[in-house]
Amino acid sequence: MKIDLHVHSTYSDGIHPPRKLVEMAIGLGLAAISITDHDCLDGTEECATAAYQNGLEVISGVELSCEFKERDLHVLGYGVDPDDQRLQGMLKRFRDTRLERGFKIIEKLRSLGVHLDTEEVLAKSRDGALGRPHIAKALLENGYVDNYSEAFERYIGEDGPAYIKKYKLHPREAVSYIRSAGGLAFIAHPTNSLKDANELLELIAIGFDGLEVAHPNQTEGERAELEAIAKDYDLLASGGSDYHGFAGKDIPMGVPEIPYEFLERIKQRLG
Ligand code: AMP
Ligand code: ZN
Ligand code: FE
Ligand code: FE
């Protein structure tokens, strides 16, 4: 039995709604999935309803934007109560500040002679967290750039003239919010964000429950190393495709292969 514990929906920057992701997972023969939208839990209920009707298992998930050592770090939360007030309050702050930031980026673009319609950009993120991918799409569709990457290179990438930082948590806060909502906190794709094993150990000491040992950006060798570290520190393992549905760029759902055993252990620890 295979599973996928890292999938994005239209409630963040994925292109498919939760219902469609559930259908796809069933088509691929997966036993369970988790929708882990960026800073948003709103897709969870729709996913759970669709999955229940179709006999697919789901575990609630979220991917929180954090900063650690001045770099982006993503923290995954599994098994959180989607109605937890403290967590929802924090997610609302994420959403509000993302909206303000989106408006500021559109303003900056305007001062550079690039005129995007705010409503049009908002419509692209109708379900959830407004982000640079939505603005990149609008730039592309309005002919300001020739392709998606160019939007980041010329305008909204970290070194671009219209870039604005977004609100991020310290990993310690992320762990706290996830735990107090009854969930378990995992370091997402550790090799993306961390320089070396020392940084990883420093982060683990904050109080994480697990590591995402398998992700398309990680080699087989890295997976083995991460699995060994997880074992040494009595941490859980998770993994998934980080599927967004981006044409031509994404690894499909269900890749790399994740054993059901990962979820079994997570559920055991959740109690
Ligand atoms: P945001 O959370 O609004 O800052 O947007 C971050 C997202 O933008 C990432 O998850 C990527 O999907 C996308 N992104 C960031 N930088 C680039 C880039 N240079 N090229 C393509 N996509 C990017
Ligand atoms: Zn994403
Ligand atoms: Fe991520
Ligand atoms: Fe992700």
Side-chain angles (χ1 to χ4, degrees), residues 223-254:
R223 174 172 180 163
E225 274 173 51
L226 290 167
E227 290 200 38
I229 294 171
K231 199 160 174 242
D232 284 351
Y233 289 83
D234 192 28
L235 295 168
L236 295 160
S238 75
S241 62
D242 210 350
Y243 180 71
H244 287 76
F246 296 148
K249 185 169 155 248
D250 257 21
I251 299 285
M253 249 169 109

Side-chain angles (χ1 to χ4, degrees), residues 13 98 101 131-133 148 152 166 246:
D13 54 347
R98 263 181 176 281
R101 172 201 186 225
R132 285 183 291 156
Y148 185 79
F152 289 89
K166 71 179 173 193
F246 296 148

Side-chain angles (χ1 to χ4, degrees), residues 48-218:
T49 309
Y52 181 72
Q53 289 161 349
N54 291 281
L56 178 77
E57 183 174 352
V58 287
I59 181 166
S60 66
V62 66
E63 184 172 24
L64 299 178
S65 307
C66 300
E67 192 170 86
F68 183 63
K69 301 203 181 283
E70 288 171 15
R71 287 194 300 278
D72 276 337
L73 176 87
H74 291 172
V75 171
L76 291 161
Y78 291 114
V80 292
D81 170 6
D83 297 323
D84 181 82
Q85 288 307 303
R86 182 166 177 258
L87 179 59
Q88 279 297 350
M90 185 273 286
L91 293 175
K92 182 174 182 325
R93 193 153 69 243
F94 256 115
R95 191 186 313 212
D96 292 348
T97 55
R98 263 181 176 281
L99 266 181
E100 286 164 26
R101 172 201 186 225
F103 295 150
K104 281 187 198 152
I105 293 178
I106 292 168
E107 277 299 303
K108 271 200 164 186
L109 285 169
R110 202 158 285 159
S111 73
L112 295 164
V114 173
H115 298 272
L116 294 184
D117 179 38
T118 308
E119 288 305 316
E120 183 190 328
V121 177
L122 276 178
K124 296 191 186 306
S125 69
R126 63 195 143 67
D127 288 333
L130 175 63
R132 285 183 291 156
H134 306 112
I135 295 172
K137 271 184 227 149
L139 285 168
L140 180 59
E141 284 169 19
N142 286 281
Y144 286 108
V145 291
D146 294 330
N147 58 61
Y148 185 79
S149 310
E150 194 189 330
F152 289 89
E153 280 153 29
R154 281 186 57 189
Y155 296 112
I156 56 175
E158 265 178 70
D159 299 319
Y163 176 68
I164 291 183
K165 258 178 107 156
K166 71 179 173 193
Y167 168 70
K168 288 175 210 156
L169 297 171
H170 187 280
R172 203 185 310 277
E173 299 173 278
V175 170
S176 160
Y177 281 112
I178 290 166
R179 287 286 197 82
S180 72
L184 298 169
F186 286 65
I187 302 170
H189 40 69
T191 56
N192 276 14
S193 332
L194 300 167
K195 238 182 21 233
D196 53 33
N198 284 336
E199 281 194 6
L200 179 59
L201 297 184
E202 196 182 323
L203 199 52
I204 288 171
I206 286 176
F208 276 91
D209 301 287
L211 303 181
E212 185 176 51
V213 303
H215 182 279
N217 292 354
Q218 286 162 197

